[in-house]
Amino acid sequence: MSLLNLKKFNIIVAVSKDMGIGVNGDLPWRLRKDMKQFKLLTSNAIVDGKKNAVVMGRKTWNSIPKKFRPLQNRVNVVLSRNLSDPPPGADYLCGSLEKAINLLSQESIGDQIDLVWIIGGSEVYKEAMKSPQCHQLYITRVDSTVECDAFFPAIDSSKYTKISLPNIDETEQEENGIKFKYEVYEQTNISEN
Ligand SMILES: NC(=O)c1ccc[n+]([C@@H]2O[C@H](COP(=O)([O-])OP(=O)(O)OC[C@H]3O[C@@H](n4cnc5c(N)ncnc54)[C@H](OP(=O)(O)O)[C@@H]3O)[C@@H](O)[C@H]2O)c1
């Protein structure tokens, strides 16, 4: 499929001061406000009658509590090189990020999909950020140095610029004594489609 026909996608992540995103297969923190923001952003399709898609690695899928899987009102795509069938509840299984974006861009499926969100983990984020289809990075900066074993890659400042959006409150938030704030970055040379 040509680049012109491929869907763009956004990344969403919450990172510690050291760019940590997870520990022992779970989130390092419990921030209900941030989870709410995640649900709102990833669920809200702008185009009426369409759904958004969430694309994630197999371990991120496993990290979602069973009662919350699949993520409601979103098309759930799981990436794995080893599984042969989608995990129970997931909509699609793909062997690579490229295959996932191709699938979600196919006319029959893509016509019903609005925004595509990449929701982790480390390797998927890294590959996604290198793609010319990666549009915006929605980052929650968590003011914490908690120990992590999964990390978000460095943001290439020659490619991504910080922007302000009317729907994103940039003021400092706090929950359970943990401070955090929202940032959005945009790829400057993104392909125009
Ligand atoms: N803070 C946040 O915003 C956030 C977001 C997401 C996740 N997390 C945390 O991050 C941790 C999970 O992330 P992780 O980095 O360890 O794992 P992950 O990326 O979610 O999953 C890794 C697995 O996904 C599959 N995979 C990854 N990239 C692939 C690709 N390009 N093509 C095909 N398959 C691919 C492979 O599965 P197979 O081994 O089956 O081949 C790989 O072993 C958890 O602690 C979770 O709570 C945090």
Side-chain angles (χ1 to χ4, degrees), residues 12-16 20-29 34 38 56-64 78-83 93-98 118-125 127 140 142 149-152:
I12 186 160
V13 67
V15 295
S16 73
I21 61 166
V23 63
N24 299 326
D26 201 355
L27 291 174
W29 41 69
D34 188 51
F38 171 86
M56 71 200 96
R58 194 235 332 140
K59 291 181 187 169
T60 295
W61 168 267
N62 287 340
S63 77
I64 302 169
V78 176
L79 303 185
S80 168
R81 299 183 186 92
N82 293 302
L83 295 179
L93 170 73
C94 292
S96 70
L97 178 63
E98 194 186 345
I118 308 297
I119 65 163
S122 302
E123 191 189 332
V124 188
Y125 284 139
E127 196 182 338
T140 307
V142 184
D149 56 22
F151 294 86
F152 192 72

Short mmCIF file of all heavy atoms in Angstrom, two decimals, residues 12-16 20-29 34 38 56-64 78-83 93-98 118-125 127 140 142 149-152, ligand 1:
data_model
loop_
_atom_site.label_atom_id
_atom_site.label_comp_id
_atom_site.label_asym_id
_atom_site.label_seq_id
_atom_site.Cartn_x
_atom_site.Cartn_y
_atom_site.Cartn_z
N ILE A 12 0.12 7.49 22.57
CA ILE A 12 -0.26 8.00 23.89
C ILE A 12 0.51 7.22 24.94
O ILE A 12 0.60 5.99 24.87
CB ILE A 12 -1.80 7.98 24.09
CG1 ILE A 12 -2.16 8.66 25.41
CG2 ILE A 12 -2.38 6.58 23.99
CD1 ILE A 12 -3.63 9.12 25.48
N VAL A 13 1.08 7.95 25.94
CA VAL A 13 1.94 7.31 26.94
C VAL A 13 2.01 8.18 28.19
O VAL A 13 1.85 9.40 28.11
CB VAL A 13 3.37 7.09 26.36
CG1 VAL A 13 4.09 8.40 26.10
CG2 VAL A 13 4.21 6.17 27.24
N ALA A 14 2.24 7.53 29.33
CA ALA A 14 2.56 8.25 30.57
C ALA A 14 3.98 7.85 30.96
O ALA A 14 4.29 6.65 31.03
CB ALA A 14 1.58 7.86 31.67
N VAL A 15 4.86 8.83 31.15
CA VAL A 15 6.27 8.54 31.43
C VAL A 15 6.75 9.18 32.72
O VAL A 15 6.34 10.28 33.07
CB VAL A 15 7.21 9.01 30.28
CG1 VAL A 15 6.96 8.28 29.00
CG2 VAL A 15 7.15 10.51 30.07
N SER A 16 7.67 8.46 33.39
CA SER A 16 8.29 9.00 34.60
C SER A 16 9.39 9.99 34.19
O SER A 16 9.68 10.15 32.99
CB SER A 16 8.90 7.86 35.42
OG SER A 16 10.07 7.40 34.78
N GLY A 20 10.46 6.09 32.31
CA GLY A 20 9.90 4.78 32.63
C GLY A 20 8.41 4.74 32.35
O GLY A 20 7.69 5.74 32.53
N ILE A 21 7.93 3.57 31.87
CA ILE A 21 6.49 3.44 31.58
C ILE A 21 5.85 2.26 32.32
O ILE A 21 4.63 2.19 32.45
CB ILE A 21 6.20 3.29 30.07
CG1 ILE A 21 6.87 2.03 29.47
CG2 ILE A 21 6.62 4.54 29.31
CD1 ILE A 21 6.35 1.67 28.08
N GLY A 22 6.68 1.29 32.77
CA GLY A 22 6.08 0.11 33.39
C GLY A 22 7.04 -0.62 34.28
O GLY A 22 8.26 -0.43 34.18
N VAL A 23 6.49 -1.44 35.17
CA VAL A 23 7.32 -2.29 36.03
C VAL A 23 6.56 -3.58 36.32
O VAL A 23 5.36 -3.54 36.59
CB VAL A 23 7.75 -1.54 37.33
CG1 VAL A 23 6.56 -1.16 38.20
CG2 VAL A 23 8.77 -2.34 38.10
N ASN A 24 7.26 -4.69 36.19
CA ASN A 24 6.67 -6.01 36.44
C ASN A 24 5.36 -6.21 35.68
O ASN A 24 4.39 -6.74 36.23
CB ASN A 24 6.42 -6.22 37.95
CG ASN A 24 7.70 -6.16 38.74
OD1 ASN A 24 8.76 -6.56 38.24
ND2 ASN A 24 7.64 -5.62 39.95
N GLY A 25 5.32 -5.77 34.45
CA GLY A 25 4.14 -5.99 33.62
C GLY A 25 2.94 -5.13 34.00
O GLY A 25 1.81 -5.42 33.60
N ASP A 26 3.17 -4.08 34.77
CA ASP A 26 2.07 -3.23 35.21
C ASP A 26 2.49 -1.77 35.12
O ASP A 26 3.67 -1.46 34.91
CB ASP A 26 1.72 -3.60 36.67
CG ASP A 26 0.32 -3.17 37.05
OD1 ASP A 26 -0.37 -2.52 36.24
OD2 ASP A 26 -0.09 -3.50 38.19
N LEU A 27 1.52 -0.87 35.33
CA LEU A 27 1.86 0.55 35.38
C LEU A 27 2.54 0.85 36.72
O LEU A 27 2.17 0.25 37.74
CB LEU A 27 0.58 1.40 35.25
CG LEU A 27 -0.11 1.38 33.90
CD1 LEU A 27 -1.43 2.14 33.97
CD2 LEU A 27 0.78 1.99 32.82
N PRO A 28 3.50 1.77 36.74
CA PRO A 28 4.19 2.07 37.99
C PRO A 28 3.35 2.92 38.94
O PRO A 28 3.76 3.17 40.06
CB PRO A 28 5.43 2.86 37.54
CG PRO A 28 5.43 2.83 36.05
CD PRO A 28 4.06 2.51 35.60
N TRP A 29 2.21 3.41 38.51
CA TRP A 29 1.39 4.32 39.32
C TRP A 29 -0.08 4.07 39.04
O TRP A 29 -0.43 3.41 38.07
CB TRP A 29 1.74 5.79 38.98
CG TRP A 29 1.92 5.97 37.50
CD1 TRP A 29 0.95 5.91 36.52
CD2 TRP A 29 3.17 6.14 36.81
NE1 TRP A 29 1.52 6.04 35.29
CE2 TRP A 29 2.87 6.19 35.43
CE3 TRP A 29 4.50 6.28 37.23
CZ2 TRP A 29 3.87 6.35 34.47
CZ3 TRP A 29 5.48 6.44 36.26
CH2 TRP A 29 5.16 6.49 34.90
N ASP A 34 -5.58 10.39 34.86
CA ASP A 34 -4.84 10.13 33.63
C ASP A 34 -5.49 8.98 32.85
O ASP A 34 -5.57 9.02 31.61
CB ASP A 34 -3.37 9.82 33.94
CG ASP A 34 -2.55 9.73 32.67
OD1 ASP A 34 -2.63 10.67 31.85
OD2 ASP A 34 -1.86 8.72 32.47
N PHE A 38 -6.91 9.09 29.12
CA PHE A 38 -6.54 8.06 28.14
C PHE A 38 -7.81 7.52 27.47
O PHE A 38 -7.89 7.40 26.24
CB PHE A 38 -5.77 6.93 28.85
CG PHE A 38 -5.54 5.72 27.99
CD1 PHE A 38 -4.44 5.65 27.15
CD2 PHE A 38 -6.43 4.64 28.00
CE1 PHE A 38 -4.22 4.53 26.35
CE2 PHE A 38 -6.23 3.53 27.19
CZ PHE A 38 -5.12 3.47 26.37
N MET A 56 -1.44 -2.31 20.25
CA MET A 56 -0.55 -2.53 21.41
C MET A 56 0.23 -3.83 21.29
O MET A 56 -0.20 -4.77 20.60
CB MET A 56 -1.39 -2.57 22.70
CG MET A 56 -2.25 -3.81 22.83
SD MET A 56 -3.61 -3.59 23.98
CE MET A 56 -4.95 -3.15 22.84
N GLY A 57 1.38 -3.88 21.99
CA GLY A 57 2.15 -5.12 22.07
C GLY A 57 1.44 -6.14 22.95
O GLY A 57 0.58 -5.77 23.77
N ARG A 58 1.85 -7.40 22.80
CA ARG A 58 1.19 -8.49 23.54
C ARG A 58 1.27 -8.27 25.06
O ARG A 58 0.33 -8.55 25.79
CB ARG A 58 1.86 -9.81 23.14
CG ARG A 58 1.11 -11.04 23.55
CD ARG A 58 1.90 -12.03 24.37
NE ARG A 58 3.32 -12.05 24.17
CZ ARG A 58 4.17 -12.19 25.18
NH1 ARG A 58 3.74 -12.28 26.42
NH2 ARG A 58 5.47 -12.25 24.94
N LYS A 59 2.40 -7.74 25.55
CA LYS A 59 2.54 -7.57 27.00
C LYS A 59 1.64 -6.44 27.53
O LYS A 59 1.16 -6.51 28.65
CB LYS A 59 4.00 -7.33 27.38
CG LYS A 59 4.86 -8.55 27.15
CD LYS A 59 6.30 -8.30 27.54
CE LYS A 59 7.18 -9.48 27.15
NZ LYS A 59 8.61 -9.16 27.27
N THR A 60 1.47 -5.41 26.72
CA THR A 60 0.55 -4.33 27.13
C THR A 60 -0.87 -4.87 27.19
O THR A 60 -1.62 -4.59 28.14
CB THR A 60 0.68 -3.13 26.17
OG1 THR A 60 1.99 -2.60 26.32
CG2 THR A 60 -0.35 -2.06 26.44
N TRP A 61 -1.28 -5.68 26.19
CA TRP A 61 -2.60 -6.32 26.25
C TRP A 61 -2.73 -7.10 27.57
O TRP A 61 -3.73 -6.97 28.28
CB TRP A 61 -2.79 -7.25 25.05
CG TRP A 61 -3.98 -8.16 25.17
CD1 TRP A 61 -3.99 -9.43 25.67
CD2 TRP A 61 -5.34 -7.85 24.84
NE1 TRP A 61 -5.27 -9.94 25.65
CE2 TRP A 61 -6.12 -8.99 25.14
CE3 TRP A 61 -5.98 -6.73 24.31
CZ2 TRP A 61 -7.49 -9.04 24.94
CZ3 TRP A 61 -7.35 -6.78 24.10
CH2 TRP A 61 -8.09 -7.92 24.41
N ASN A 62 -1.70 -7.92 27.89
CA ASN A 62 -1.75 -8.73 29.11
C ASN A 62 -1.80 -7.87 30.36
O ASN A 62 -2.31 -8.31 31.40
CB ASN A 62 -0.54 -9.66 29.20
CG ASN A 62 -0.63 -10.81 28.21
OD1 ASN A 62 -1.71 -11.14 27.73
ND2 ASN A 62 0.50 -11.41 27.88
N SER A 63 -1.25 -6.65 30.28
CA SER A 63 -1.21 -5.78 31.47
C SER A 63 -2.58 -5.15 31.77
O SER A 63 -2.79 -4.63 32.86
CB SER A 63 -0.17 -4.67 31.27
OG SER A 63 -0.67 -3.65 30.41
N ILE A 64 -3.50 -5.22 30.81
CA ILE A 64 -4.83 -4.63 31.04
C ILE A 64 -5.64 -5.65 31.86
O ILE A 64 -5.76 -6.81 31.45
CB ILE A 64 -5.55 -4.33 29.70
CG1 ILE A 64 -4.70 -3.37 28.86
CG2 ILE A 64 -6.94 -3.77 29.94
CD1 ILE A 64 -5.21 -3.22 27.42
N VAL A 78 -3.69 -6.37 18.59
CA VAL A 78 -2.55 -6.83 19.40
C VAL A 78 -1.43 -7.26 18.45
O VAL A 78 -1.67 -7.92 17.44
CB VAL A 78 -2.97 -8.00 20.32
CG1 VAL A 78 -1.78 -8.56 21.08
CG2 VAL A 78 -4.05 -7.54 21.30
N LEU A 79 -0.19 -6.86 18.80
CA LEU A 79 0.99 -7.25 18.00
C LEU A 79 1.72 -8.39 18.70
O LEU A 79 1.96 -8.33 19.90
CB LEU A 79 1.96 -6.08 17.84
CG LEU A 79 1.44 -4.80 17.21
CD1 LEU A 79 2.59 -3.81 17.02
CD2 LEU A 79 0.77 -5.07 15.87
N SER A 80 2.05 -9.42 17.92
CA SER A 80 2.86 -10.53 18.45
C SER A 80 3.52 -11.23 17.27
O SER A 80 2.94 -11.32 16.19
CB SER A 80 1.97 -11.52 19.20
OG SER A 80 2.69 -12.70 19.47
N ARG A 81 4.74 -11.72 17.51
CA ARG A 81 5.42 -12.52 16.48
C ARG A 81 5.20 -14.00 16.74
O ARG A 81 5.60 -14.84 15.95
CB ARG A 81 6.91 -12.21 16.47
CG ARG A 81 7.21 -10.77 16.15
CD ARG A 81 8.72 -10.51 16.06
NE ARG A 81 8.95 -9.08 15.88
CZ ARG A 81 9.15 -8.23 16.88
NH1 ARG A 81 9.17 -8.66 18.12
NH2 ARG A 81 9.33 -6.94 16.64
N ASN A 82 4.61 -14.32 17.89
CA ASN A 82 4.49 -15.73 18.29
C ASN A 82 3.06 -16.25 18.35
O ASN A 82 2.83 -17.42 18.07
CB ASN A 82 5.15 -15.93 19.66
CG ASN A 82 6.65 -15.73 19.56
OD1 ASN A 82 7.31 -16.42 18.81
ND2 ASN A 82 7.17 -14.77 20.30
N LEU A 83 2.12 -15.40 18.74
CA LEU A 83 0.73 -15.89 18.83
C LEU A 83 0.23 -16.22 17.43
O LEU A 83 0.63 -15.59 16.45
CB LEU A 83 -0.18 -14.82 19.46
CG LEU A 83 0.08 -14.44 20.92
CD1 LEU A 83 -0.91 -13.36 21.36
CD2 LEU A 83 -0.02 -15.64 21.85
N LEU A 93 -5.04 -9.69 15.40
CA LEU A 93 -3.65 -9.97 15.76
C LEU A 93 -2.80 -9.66 14.53
O LEU A 93 -3.15 -10.09 13.42
CB LEU A 93 -3.51 -11.46 16.12
CG LEU A 93 -2.08 -11.97 16.30
CD1 LEU A 93 -1.49 -11.46 17.61
CD2 LEU A 93 -2.04 -13.50 16.27
N CYS A 94 -1.71 -8.92 14.72
CA CYS A 94 -0.82 -8.63 13.59
C CYS A 94 0.62 -8.95 13.98
O CYS A 94 1.01 -8.81 15.13
CB CYS A 94 -0.91 -7.16 13.19
SG CYS A 94 -2.51 -6.74 12.47
N GLY A 95 1.41 -9.37 12.98
CA GLY A 95 2.79 -9.78 13.21
C GLY A 95 3.78 -8.63 13.18
O GLY A 95 4.96 -8.83 13.47
N SER A 96 3.32 -7.43 12.83
CA SER A 96 4.21 -6.25 12.85
C SER A 96 3.34 -4.99 12.89
O SER A 96 2.15 -5.03 12.55
CB SER A 96 5.10 -6.22 11.60
OG SER A 96 4.32 -5.92 10.46
N LEU A 97 3.99 -3.89 13.25
CA LEU A 97 3.26 -2.61 13.28
C LEU A 97 2.83 -2.24 11.86
O LEU A 97 1.71 -1.78 11.62
CB LEU A 97 4.15 -1.51 13.88
CG LEU A 97 3.54 -0.12 13.91
CD1 LEU A 97 2.30 -0.07 14.79
CD2 LEU A 97 4.56 0.90 14.41
N GLU A 98 3.73 -2.49 10.92
CA GLU A 98 3.43 -2.17 9.52
C GLU A 98 2.18 -2.92 9.05
O GLU A 98 1.30 -2.34 8.41
CB GLU A 98 4.64 -2.55 8.67
CG GLU A 98 4.60 -1.98 7.29
CD GLU A 98 5.75 -2.51 6.42
OE1 GLU A 98 6.71 -3.09 6.97
OE2 GLU A 98 5.64 -2.35 5.20
N ILE A 118 -1.50 4.35 19.11
CA ILE A 118 -0.49 3.37 19.52
C ILE A 118 -0.37 3.51 21.04
O ILE A 118 0.00 4.58 21.54
CB ILE A 118 0.88 3.65 18.85
CG1 ILE A 118 0.73 3.77 17.33
CG2 ILE A 118 1.90 2.59 19.25
CD1 ILE A 118 0.26 2.55 16.61
N ILE A 119 -0.65 2.41 21.76
CA ILE A 119 -0.73 2.55 23.23
C ILE A 119 0.37 1.76 23.97
O ILE A 119 0.27 1.53 25.17
CB ILE A 119 -2.14 2.19 23.74
CG1 ILE A 119 -2.49 0.71 23.51
CG2 ILE A 119 -3.20 3.07 23.09
CD1 ILE A 119 -3.68 0.24 24.35
N GLY A 120 1.44 1.35 23.27
CA GLY A 120 2.59 0.74 23.96
C GLY A 120 2.81 -0.70 23.55
O GLY A 120 2.07 -1.23 22.75
N GLY A 121 3.90 -1.33 24.10
CA GLY A 121 4.89 -0.73 25.00
C GLY A 121 6.13 -0.25 24.25
O GLY A 121 6.03 0.26 23.13
N SER A 122 7.28 -0.49 24.89
CA SER A 122 8.53 0.15 24.48
C SER A 122 8.87 -0.01 23.00
O SER A 122 9.12 0.97 22.30
CB SER A 122 9.70 -0.43 25.27
OG SER A 122 9.49 -0.28 26.63
N GLU A 123 8.91 -1.27 22.56
CA GLU A 123 9.36 -1.53 21.20
C GLU A 123 8.38 -0.96 20.17
O GLU A 123 8.77 -0.44 19.13
CB GLU A 123 9.50 -3.06 21.03
CG GLU A 123 10.19 -3.49 19.78
CD GLU A 123 10.09 -5.01 19.60
OE1 GLU A 123 9.98 -5.75 20.61
OE2 GLU A 123 10.09 -5.44 18.44
N VAL A 124 7.11 -1.08 20.49
CA VAL A 124 6.07 -0.59 19.58
C VAL A 124 6.17 0.94 19.47
O VAL A 124 6.10 1.51 18.38
CB VAL A 124 4.65 -1.02 20.05
CG1 VAL A 124 3.61 -0.67 19.00
CG2 VAL A 124 4.61 -2.49 20.39
N TYR A 125 6.38 1.60 20.62
CA TYR A 125 6.54 3.06 20.61
C TYR A 125 7.74 3.45 19.75
O TYR A 125 7.67 4.39 18.96
CB TYR A 125 6.78 3.58 22.03
CG TYR A 125 5.57 3.64 22.94
CD1 TYR A 125 5.66 3.26 24.27
CD2 TYR A 125 4.35 4.13 22.49
CE1 TYR A 125 4.59 3.35 25.13
CE2 TYR A 125 3.25 4.22 23.35
CZ TYR A 125 3.39 3.83 24.67
OH TYR A 125 2.31 3.93 25.52
N GLU A 127 9.29 1.89 17.28
CA GLU A 127 9.07 1.72 15.85
C GLU A 127 8.08 2.77 15.34
O GLU A 127 8.27 3.35 14.28
CB GLU A 127 8.53 0.30 15.61
CG GLU A 127 8.64 -0.12 14.17
CD GLU A 127 8.07 -1.50 13.92
OE1 GLU A 127 7.98 -2.31 14.87
OE2 GLU A 127 7.69 -1.75 12.76
N THR A 140 1.95 12.08 29.03
CA THR A 140 1.72 12.51 30.41
C THR A 140 3.08 12.44 31.11
O THR A 140 3.66 11.36 31.21
CB THR A 140 0.71 11.59 31.13
OG1 THR A 140 -0.47 11.51 30.35
CG2 THR A 140 0.38 12.12 32.51
N VAL A 142 4.96 12.31 34.27
CA VAL A 142 4.68 12.02 35.68
C VAL A 142 5.92 12.38 36.50
O VAL A 142 7.02 11.91 36.19
CB VAL A 142 4.30 10.53 35.88
CG1 VAL A 142 3.91 10.27 37.33
CG2 VAL A 142 3.18 10.12 34.94
N ASP A 149 10.96 -1.06 34.52
CA ASP A 149 11.73 -1.98 33.68
C ASP A 149 11.30 -1.90 32.22
O ASP A 149 11.77 -2.64 31.37
CB ASP A 149 11.63 -3.43 34.21
CG ASP A 149 10.20 -3.92 34.34
OD1 ASP A 149 9.31 -3.35 33.65
OD2 ASP A 149 9.95 -4.86 35.10
N ALA A 150 10.39 -0.98 31.92
CA ALA A 150 10.01 -0.71 30.52
C ALA A 150 10.08 0.81 30.33
O ALA A 150 9.67 1.56 31.22
CB ALA A 150 8.60 -1.22 30.24
N PHE A 151 10.59 1.22 29.18
CA PHE A 151 10.90 2.64 28.98
C PHE A 151 10.39 3.17 27.65
O PHE A 151 10.24 2.41 26.68
CB PHE A 151 12.42 2.87 29.07
CG PHE A 151 12.96 2.60 30.44
CD1 PHE A 151 13.31 1.30 30.82
CD2 PHE A 151 13.05 3.62 31.38
CE1 PHE A 151 13.77 1.04 32.11
CE2 PHE A 151 13.50 3.36 32.67
CZ PHE A 151 13.86 2.07 33.04
N PHE A 152 10.14 4.48 27.62
CA PHE A 152 9.76 5.17 26.39
C PHE A 152 11.04 5.68 25.73
O PHE A 152 11.91 6.21 26.43
CB PHE A 152 8.82 6.34 26.74
CG PHE A 152 8.15 6.95 25.55
CD1 PHE A 152 7.14 6.27 24.89
CD2 PHE A 152 8.51 8.21 25.09
CE1 PHE A 152 6.51 6.83 23.78
CE2 PHE A 152 7.88 8.78 23.99
CZ PHE A 152 6.87 8.09 23.34
N1 LIG B 1 2.92 4.17 30.99
C1 LIG B 1 2.26 3.87 29.87
O1 LIG B 1 1.66 4.74 29.24
C2 LIG B 1 2.26 2.45 29.38
C3 LIG B 1 1.67 2.12 28.15
C4 LIG B 1 1.73 0.80 27.72
C5 LIG B 1 2.35 -0.16 28.48
N2 LIG B 1 2.90 0.20 29.67
C6 LIG B 1 3.62 -0.78 30.50
O2 LIG B 1 4.67 -1.31 29.70
C7 LIG B 1 4.85 -2.69 30.00
C8 LIG B 1 4.59 -3.50 28.74
O3 LIG B 1 5.37 -3.01 27.69
P1 LIG B 1 6.63 -3.82 27.09
O4 LIG B 1 7.47 -2.84 26.39
O5 LIG B 1 7.24 -4.65 28.17
O6 LIG B 1 5.92 -4.84 26.10
P2 LIG B 1 4.94 -4.63 24.82
O7 LIG B 1 5.59 -3.79 23.80
O8 LIG B 1 3.59 -4.25 25.26
O9 LIG B 1 4.87 -6.12 24.34
C9 LIG B 1 6.02 -6.74 23.82
C10 LIG B 1 5.57 -7.88 22.94
O10 LIG B 1 4.74 -7.38 21.91
C11 LIG B 1 5.04 -8.01 20.69
N3 LIG B 1 5.63 -7.01 19.80
C12 LIG B 1 6.24 -5.85 20.14
N4 LIG B 1 6.59 -5.15 19.04
C13 LIG B 1 6.20 -5.90 18.00
C14 LIG B 1 6.29 -5.72 16.60
N5 LIG B 1 6.84 -4.63 16.05
N6 LIG B 1 5.78 -6.69 15.82
C15 LIG B 1 5.19 -7.79 16.34
N7 LIG B 1 5.08 -8.01 17.65
C16 LIG B 1 5.58 -7.08 18.47
C17 LIG B 1 5.99 -9.16 21.05
O11 LIG B 1 5.11 -10.21 21.43
P3 LIG B 1 5.50 -11.77 21.34
O12 LIG B 1 6.53 -11.98 22.40
O13 LIG B 1 4.21 -12.45 21.61
O14 LIG B 1 6.03 -12.01 19.95
C18 LIG B 1 6.72 -8.59 22.24
O15 LIG B 1 7.29 -9.58 23.08
C19 LIG B 1 3.89 -3.01 31.13
O16 LIG B 1 4.56 -2.79 32.35
C20 LIG B 1 2.79 -1.98 30.92
O17 LIG B 1 2.08 -1.73 32.13
C21 LIG B 1 2.86 1.48 30.13
#
